[in-house]
Amino acid sequence: MKENQYDLVAPFYDALAKLIFGEKLLKAQMHYLGEMKSSDRVLVVGGGTGRILKHPAFLHAKCIDYVELSAKMILEAQENAGNLQNVRFLEIDFFQHHGEYDFIICNFFLDCFNEHYLDLAIRKLHGLLSQNGTLLVTDFKPSSNRKNKLIVSLMIIFFRLTTRLQAPKLQDIPQALRALFSPVQRASFNNGLVFSSLLKPNP
Ligand SMILES: C[S@@+](CC[C@H](N)C(=O)[O-])C[C@H]1O[C@@H](n2cnc3c(N)ncnc32)[C@H](O)[C@@H]1O
């Protein structure tokens, strides 16, 4: 049975996120998008419904590859892309994707994986990024706050039931990234539940 299948939730994914978090998750995802340069070859990994594509930074990117496993998510993202001419939607498994990119966006994607696949995904991201490229990761992080812990537990139960989420628990993503990347900027949101980080690959 395949894991991380988001087709079922695609039609109401944004509404659900908005119900629980308002626009805070979107705000966190947009926080560093202005760092994208107009000459950048951009990769969006597991971009979901693609609401971030409305950010003006994408208009000027050299090219954008939007890699997403769910066909239904891609349909939503195509709508959100509006008239963007420089984007290529690729309905594929990120682990099978090849290329070289200057700016990779990986938002609420790494939380889909168990510890083993999280390490593989981080290695894959390192391989796809150019030598002086930038990785943007926005995601949840483990928190000692009781309310945050409850929210994370409920989300994991919900997504394990609806998408066959692979992750049995929330991994320490910032810590796992340190194996191959160094953070250069980092911001925290929602009482420390969400982080957004710009990272450079370790040599
Ligand atoms: C939790 S959602 C996040 C969506 C979006 N980035 C956001 O923040 O709203 C994770 C997304 O990753 C996609 N995904 C999961 N595994 C994938 C894989 N191996 N390759 C490509 N996309 C994948 C899912 O289809 C889903 O759209």
Side-chain angles (χ1 to χ4, degrees), residues 3-7 13-14 29 44-50 66-70 73 92-95 106-109 111-113 138 159 165:
E3 297 165 315
N4 297 331
Q5 300 295 307
Y6 276 73
D7 270 359
Y13 183 89
D14 286 339
Q29 296 197 48
V44 181
V45 182
T49 64
Y66 195 94
V67 168
E68 170 54 61
L69 197 57
S70 155
M73 286 290 198
I92 47 166
D93 183 343
F94 149 78
F95 290 99
C106 190
N107 290 340
F108 301 101
F109 170 73
D111 60 14
C112 292
F113 301 107
T138 308
F159 285 110
L165 184 76

Side-chain angles (χ1 to χ4, degrees), residues 93-154:
D93 183 343
F94 149 78
F95 290 99
Q96 310 298 326
H97 184 60
H98 300 281
E100 190 184 54
Y101 299 91
D102 309 302
F103 198 92
I104 300 184
I105 300 166
C106 190
N107 290 340
F108 301 101
F109 170 73
L110 293 174
D111 60 14
C112 292
F113 301 107
N114 63 26
E115 197 178 349
H116 174 66
Y117 274 90
L118 173 62
D119 287 344
L120 290 182
I122 289 171
R123 250 185 270 168
K124 180 77 186 171
L125 289 167
H126 194 269
L128 289 165
L129 197 61
S130 62
Q131 222 174 9
N132 195 32
T134 302
L135 172 66
L136 169 57
V137 179
T138 308
D139 219 313
F140 298 106
K141 70 179 173 68
S143 156
S144 51
N145 178 300
R146 273 168 62 186
K147 187 177 161 204
N148 288 349
K149 275 185 173 174
L150 180 66
I151 293 172
V152 167
S153 302
L154 292 175

Side-chain angles (χ1 to χ4, degrees), residues 77-94:
Q78 282 168 332
E79 212 157 289
N80 277 321
N83 290 328
L84 267 187
Q85 301 294 319
N86 50 355
V87 57
R88 203 163 59 128
F89 290 96
L90 303 168
E91 188 194 322
I92 47 166
D93 183 343
F94 149 78

Side-chain angles (χ1 to χ4, degrees), residues 24-41:
K24 287 179 187 162
L25 298 190
L26 186 63
K27 199 178 150 206
Q29 296 197 48
M30 300 271 202
H31 191 72
Y32 287 123
L33 283 182
E35 299 293 323
M36 204 189 296
K37 297 188 201 77
S38 53
S39 55
D40 279 352
R41 296 162 294 173

